Amino acid sequence: MAAGGDHGGPDSYRSPLASRYASPEMCFVFSDRYKFRTWRLLWLWLAEAEQTLGLPITDEQIQEMESNLDNIDFKMAAEEEKQLRHDVMAHVHTFGHCCPKAAGIIHLGATSCYVGDNTDLIILRNALDLLLPKACSADHSWETLLSLDSRSL
């Protein structure tokens, strides 16, 4: 992947600022692939929790979801979204297509905010995990940066 991403495909965040200033790792954290894989991971965790609580979810369904976390058909998802006009449901259907035994339990009992909001939090946390070590190793320590008064800049 080129520095700052490749401006195409699902593996990199696309933005003029990202292409100039962001690392390939940071672009990946904000990419479609990372976002939608995180949705799938959240659906897997939801199914595992629901199974633990006694819902009729089989180990086979869980395994099917787990083995298809990275099997994302972006073209199918785009076509589904055009038809449904709903990004989350488009990806529920797309994930269900590659997990036919688990299709009925994907997103079971959840709202769109379950995947959207939690994914945003996970992405922001992981972006900070990339950013903070670099910021702390810069010439200025955090104490120096925090003690600066805007008038001294």
Side-chain angles (χ1 to χ4, degrees):
M1 186 179 337
D6 61 6
H7 284 289
D11 294 327
S12 184
Y13 179 70
R14 294 171 303 277
S15 153
L17 294 176
S19 67
R20 291 182 197 128
Y21 307 113
S23 70
E25 297 83 10
M26 187 66 79
C27 287
F28 182 68
V29 167
F30 284 92
S31 71
D32 285 345
R33 181 170 309 281
Y34 196 85
K35 173 183 174 178
F36 299 128
R37 187 191 191 281
T38 302
W39 284 11
R40 289 176 174 211
L41 193 55
L42 286 164
W43 288 323
L44 172 65
W45 292 339
L46 177 64
E48 290 172 337
E50 290 172 333
Q51 182 188 46
T52 301
L53 292 171
L55 273 72
I57 295 171
T58 66
D59 290 338
E60 185 179 25
Q61 290 171 306
I62 299 281
Q63 180 56 43
E64 186 179 54
M65 291 172 73
E66 199 166 18
S67 22
N68 283 287
L69 291 174
D70 294 309
N71 183 15
I72 304 172
D73 184 341
F74 289 96
K75 185 178 178 187
M76 180 182 185
E79 290 167 4
E80 287 284 336
E81 189 170 348
K82 275 184 189 175
Q83 182 181 7
L84 299 170
R85 299 185 186 275
H86 195 288
D87 58 345
V88 174
M89 291 313 299
H91 279 272
V92 167
H93 289 200
T94 302
F95 195 22
H97 180 75
C98 55
C99 302
K101 294 175 184 162
I105 63 157
I106 295 169
H107 198 71
L108 181 65
T111 66
S112 297
C113 289
Y114 167 70
V115 289
D117 296 354
N118 284 305
T119 295
D120 288 346
L121 291 172
I122 290 167
I123 286 171
L124 291 173
R125 184 208 55 211
N126 292 342
L128 283 172
D129 285 347
L130 289 172
L131 179 66
L132 288 178
K134 292 177 182 183
C136 290
S137 67
D139 289 338
H140 296 289
S141 68
W142 276 111
E143 293 80 19
T144 304
L145 288 172
L146 293 174
S147 67
L148 287 177
D149 185 310
S150 62
R151 293 179 299 256
S152 67
L153 296 177

